[in-house]
Amino acid sequence: MKRILLLLALFATFHLPLRAQFVHYGAQVGGGVSFVTDDLLTSSPIFAVGVGGYADYMFTEWKNPWSENIYLRTGLNINRRGTNFSQDLTHMESMRRGYYHNWYAQIPVIAGFRWEIPTLPAGNFINVFIGPSFNVGLFGRRWDRQVTMKMPQESFNYDTYITGTKDDRASFKHIRRLDASVIFGVGYQWHNITVDIYMDHGFVPLMKRADVLAPYDVAQGKTEETMTEQEIKDRNAYTGTNQAFLIAIGYQLPINR
C-alpha cells in the first residue's frame, strides 16, 4: 500500500507539462499530532509542528480547460516529528519509557487541484493535494529509561539523562537522519487566507533492528519465493516510521508579473 501511494504521488507530481510560471507565494504554520508506528513499542503522540514558505506554479499555457486549476508547489518547511514510547515486560518485571523529539528540514513537491466554489462569493476556493517530500534531520532530543527489578545489569537499568552521555540524548545518533514521506490533504482558501488539513506519511524505518525470528525461519526453510536466505537474515524488525496529522493556517499572495 505504501509503495502504491508513493508511486501515485510521483505520477501526479511529474506527469504534468513543464511549461509553467510562478503565480503565488505564501507561508504556513501548523500544529497537530505526531507518532511512530512500531509493533514492539507502545507509542503515543507528541505535539507536531510545521512552519515554512512555498511558491506555486500554475500551468496557464497548457491547452486544457483545467489549466488554471492545477498547480505545483514546492518550498521549505521546518517540522517537529517524534513519539512517546513505552514497553512493559511483566515476566521480567521491567518497565521502559521514553520519547523522541526530532526536527527536520523538509522539501515537498506537491501537485494540487484548486477549484473556486461557484455557490459562494468570489475568492472562496477548495483544493486537494498530494506529493512526495524529502526530509533531513537537523537536531533532536531522546529520552530512554528502563528499570528492571531483578536484573542489575546496566543494559537493563539506565536513564539517558542520568547515566547516559551527550550522544545518548541526541536523537540522530540513534535513528536515521534521512526520511521520505508522502503528503496528502485538503484545504480551503478565503481570499489570501488558507486552512489545510493534511497527513504526512513516512516510509523509511527510523532505525535498524535485527529480526530475532530470522534464524528460525531460515532453519525451518521458511523462505519466501521472492526472498533469499540472506534477505531474510537482513530483515529489519523495526517498522517504526514517522506519521503526522496537522492543521495549518497560512497567508498567500500573488506574484506580480
Side-chain angles (χ1 to χ4, degrees):
M1 183 62 182
K2 291 182 179 180
R3 293 179 181 178
I4 293 174
L5 282 173
L6 186 58
L7 288 173
L8 287 174
L10 290 170
F11 179 83
T13 300
F14 297 112
H15 194 67
L16 292 170
L18 298 179
R19 299 180 65 184
Q21 58 185 349
F22 289 103
V23 292
H24 302 107
Y25 68 96
Q28 284 184 324
V29 60
V33 295
S34 174
F35 59 95
V36 171
T37 58
D38 181 52
D39 294 336
L40 300 180
L41 298 176
T42 301
S43 63
S44 60
I46 67 166
F47 183 67
V49 174
V51 58
Y54 62 87
D56 287 351
Y57 302 83
M58 292 192 76
F59 304 92
T60 54
E61 297 182 9
W62 187 21
K63 294 181 180 180
N64 188 289
W66 301 107
S67 61
E68 294 187 0
N69 298 91
I70 295 174
Y71 64 89
L72 185 68
R73 173 175 296 178
T74 188
L76 176 64
N77 301 323
I78 303 298
N79 295 333
R80 183 180 191 249
R81 300 288 185 265
T83 194
N84 297 311
F85 64 83
S86 65
Q87 187 176 42
D88 293 313
L89 303 175
T90 54
H91 64 285
M92 293 175 56
E93 297 185 21
S94 179
M95 177 187 70
R96 185 183 178 195
R97 300 289 185 270
Y99 61 70
Y100 284 91
H101 296 170
N102 308 320
W103 290 88
Y104 293 86
Q106 179 186 69
I107 299 177
V109 184
I110 303 297
F113 185 85
R114 182 172 179 264
W115 181 63
E116 188 167 15
I117 305 173
T119 57
L120 295 179
N124 287 270
F125 300 87
I126 60 172
N127 68 88
V128 294
F129 50 89
I130 184 172
S133 69
F134 308 94
N135 312 281
V136 179
L138 300 175
F139 57 89
R141 303 298 291 174
R142 168 182 178 262
W143 175 54
D144 191 353
R145 178 176 184 263
Q146 183 169 349
V147 177
T148 305
M149 299 297 295
K150 298 180 179 179
M151 304 183 74
Q153 296 92 333
E154 291 185 3
S155 58
F156 293 99
N157 295 273
Y158 57 83
D159 188 317
T160 55
Y161 273 83
I162 298 175
T163 62
T165 66
K166 183 179 179 180
D167 285 348
D168 292 330
R169 298 187 290 272
S171 286
F172 293 108
K173 295 289 185 179
H174 302 271
I175 65 174
R176 291 186 171 118
R177 191 174 291 272
L178 300 180
D179 191 16
S181 61
V182 61
I183 296 172
F184 54 95
V186 297
Y188 168 74
Q189 180 175 348
W190 179 71
H191 297 285
N192 294 332
I193 298 173
T194 63
V195 179
D196 293 327
I197 301 174
Y198 65 93
M199 180 178 183
D200 189 354
H201 176 83
F203 290 97
V204 180
L206 298 182
M207 62 183 70
K208 176 70 177 179
R209 289 289 184 269
D211 189 341
V212 296
L213 296 179
Y216 173 81
D217 287 347
V218 171
Q220 297 297 317
K222 295 181 179 180
T223 57
E224 301 177 17
E225 294 182 359
T226 58
M227 297 181 67
T228 66
E229 288 190 3
Q230 186 60 44
E231 288 173 331
I232 290 182
K233 291 179 181 178
D234 293 339
R235 284 188 314 205
N236 190 0
Y238 185 84
T239 58
T241 57
N242 280 320
Q243 312 291 327
F245 295 89
L246 291 98
I247 299 176
I249 298 175
Y251 194 80
Q252 183 181 100
L253 289 172
I255 295 177
N256 295 324
R257 296 184 295 273

